[in-house]
Amino acid sequence: MDQAETVLTPSSWVVVGLDNGGTCNNATVLDATGQFLVNNMVENPSRVLDGPESAVEALADAFAGILELTSTPLSLVRAVGLDTPGPASAHGVISSKGATNFNQVSWHGFDIRGALEARLGLPVIYNNDANAAALYAHHRHFGTAALETSSVAAIVGTGLGGGVVENGKVIRGAAGMAGELGHVQIPLHGVLEDDQPVPVCNCGFAGDVEAIASLTGIKNNLLPYWLTRFPEHPLAAEPIGKAAKLLRGYGEKEDPLAMAVFGQQAKAIGKLFTIAANFTDPSAYFLGGGVVEAAPHFRQWFLNTVRENTQLRDEQAKAATFALVADLDMAGARGAAVAALDAVANNPR
C-alpha cells in the first residue's frame, strides 16, 4: 500500500471509506469530528479481474492497511463505506448482467456489500462510485450547510455517472439506480451539426448524455464524425481508441477539432443540467471526471461552456452555483466515508 504524505491519528471513533476500481482500491478514514486522516491517495490492487473472492479479500487488505497507516485501532471503527462502479442495487448487489469492471459471470448478481460486511464483521454502507463522488462534492462545497442544500453532479469518464443529493443525502431510488444521469435523453438541437448522426449509447439509447459526454461517446460517435471534417489531423493516423484518449491533450492546446468535440460535450451536459433545473432545482451543479484533471484554463472553459448552455430562470441563476468536483481522485473514498458517517450518526449504538 502506498504511503500517505500526511497522516493524522483519530481523535474519536471513525468510519473507513473504500473506493473500488478496476485497477486499485483507494482507502481513507474519517473520524466523528469530520476530519479525514489522510490527505492523498492510499491504494492497493483491487484484483477485480481475479473474481469476487479475491476482490473482497483485496478490499479487506485495503481496510487493514489504512488502519495500520493511521494508527487506528479496529475497536474505533463503527462502519465502512464502500463504492464500486455500477450498475448495482441500492444494497450493493452487482447487476445480473454484470457491470463496469465486473464482466465475469461470477460477478453477475454478486452481493459485494454483503460479502465485505461478512468478511470484516462491520456494517458496510454502499453507494455506486458516481454517487459517492457526488456526495463528497456536495459536502465539501457546502460544509455546515450541506444538510440544507441540494445538488446535481455529472461525472465524465469512460461513461457518464451522476448523483442527485437532497438535504445532504444521495437520492437512491426504488431499485438503487437514481442519478443515472448518463442515460437521460436530451434534446440535440444546438448540440449536433446538421449532418451529424444521432449518437448511440452502449445501453441502446440514442441521444442520451453518455453517448456524447464520455470517453466512449468520443470514441464511438464524436471523434469519427469530426475526423471527417479534419481529415489531415494527426489523430486521423491513430487507432480510434488511442485517439480518443489523446484528445484532451489537444484540447488543452485549443486545437480546433478537440474544441469542437469538447464543446459538444459541454453543451450536452448543459442540456442535462437544464432538465435537472426543471426537475430538482438544485442549489449547485457539479462537474467531475477527466476534465477536472485537465489544465486549469481548459477545465474552466469547459465549466463555463456548461454554464452558458444551462438554461436557468433568473431566480435559479441567482440561487445556484456551478463548480468542479474537488479532490477528484479521492472523492469516491471520501464520499463513501461520508455516507458511512451519516449512517452511524442516524443509527448510533
Side-chain angles (χ1 to χ4, degrees):
M1 177 168 290
D2 295 341
Q3 295 298 302
E5 295 172 1
T6 304
V7 180
L8 304 175
T9 53
S11 58
S12 57
W13 59 266
V14 306
V15 296
V16 171
L18 299 175
D19 171 43
N20 170 261
T23 304
C24 293
N25 297 316
N26 180 33
T28 194
V29 180
L30 175 63
D31 74 15
T33 69
Q35 172 181 256
F36 285 101
L37 304 189
V38 292
N39 290 324
N40 61 289
M41 298 280 280
V42 182
E43 297 183 299
N44 75 318
S46 64
R47 300 181 63 191
V48 293
L49 297 181
D50 296 336
E53 184 176 340
S54 296
V56 170
E57 198 58 35
L59 284 166
D61 290 344
F63 173 82
I66 198 67
L67 295 188
E68 180 180 359
L69 184 64
T70 56
S71 301
T72 301
L74 178 60
S75 59
L76 291 184
V77 183
R78 296 279 184 89
V80 177
L82 170 68
D83 78 68
T84 76
S89 76
H91 303 292
V93 178
I94 303 300
S95 167
S96 59
K97 295 183 179 180
T100 306
N101 303 333
F102 304 122
N103 292 325
Q104 297 157 294
V105 174
S106 57
W107 278 112
H108 295 189
F110 182 77
D111 181 3
I112 189 169
R113 186 208 64 81
L116 183 62
E117 186 169 273
R119 172 64 178 80
L120 298 180
L122 288 163
V124 174
I125 291 81
Y126 177 82
N127 282 281
N128 71 44
D129 54 358
N131 279 349
L135 184 64
Y136 176 65
H138 182 91
H139 280 261
R140 169 68 186 270
H141 183 83
F142 287 110
T144 57
L147 300 183
E148 303 165 2
T149 48
S150 59
S151 65
V152 171
I155 313 296
V156 186
T158 304
L160 187 133
V164 179
V165 178
E166 185 69 35
N167 294 329
K169 298 183 184 299
V170 170
I171 303 300
R172 295 176 179 273
M177 297 181 184
E180 290 289 345
L181 303 183
H183 304 298
V184 173
Q185 291 167 301
I186 57 171
L188 298 176
H189 177 73
V191 177
L192 302 182
E193 298 292 298
D194 290 341
D195 63 340
Q196 190 169 0
V198 173
V200 177
C201 182
N202 284 346
C203 76
F205 284 174
D208 66 11
V209 188
E210 184 173 301
I212 300 170
S214 66
L215 179 62
T216 302
I218 291 176
K219 179 175 66 113
N220 292 348
N221 300 308
L222 302 191
L223 191 53
Y225 169 78
W226 282 103
L227 284 173
T228 67
R229 293 290 193 93
F230 295 85
E232 303 302 319
H233 196 280
L235 290 179
E238 301 287 352
I240 194 67
K242 180 180 179 181
K245 292 179 179 179
L246 293 173
L247 191 66
R248 191 178 76 192
Y250 283 88
E252 292 174 334
K253 299 174 185 175
E254 300 184 4
D255 173 81
L257 179 150
M259 297 301 278
V261 170
F262 288 114
Q264 290 191 319
Q265 290 198 323
K267 290 175 182 178
I269 295 171
K271 297 281 189 182
L272 170 67
F273 283 168
T274 299
I275 293 172
N278 288 287
F279 196 78
T280 67
D281 189 25
S283 309
Y285 301 85
F286 294 119
L287 179 65
V291 68
V292 177
E293 301 167 356
H297 72 277
F298 177 80
R299 68 191 185 205
Q300 191 60 52
W301 166 81
F302 194 94
L303 181 64
N304 290 345
T305 306
V306 170
R307 182 190 292 114
E308 291 163 4
N309 286 275
T310 303
Q311 298 176 14
L312 303 179
R313 297 177 178 86
D314 289 343
E315 298 88 343
Q316 292 175 312
K318 292 175 182 177
T321 58
F322 287 74
L324 300 170
V325 174
D327 304 324
L328 185 67
D329 55 357
M330 297 184 289
R334 288 188 164 193
V338 168
L341 187 69
D342 180 67
V344 174
N346 289 321
N347 296 281
R349 287 178 177 173

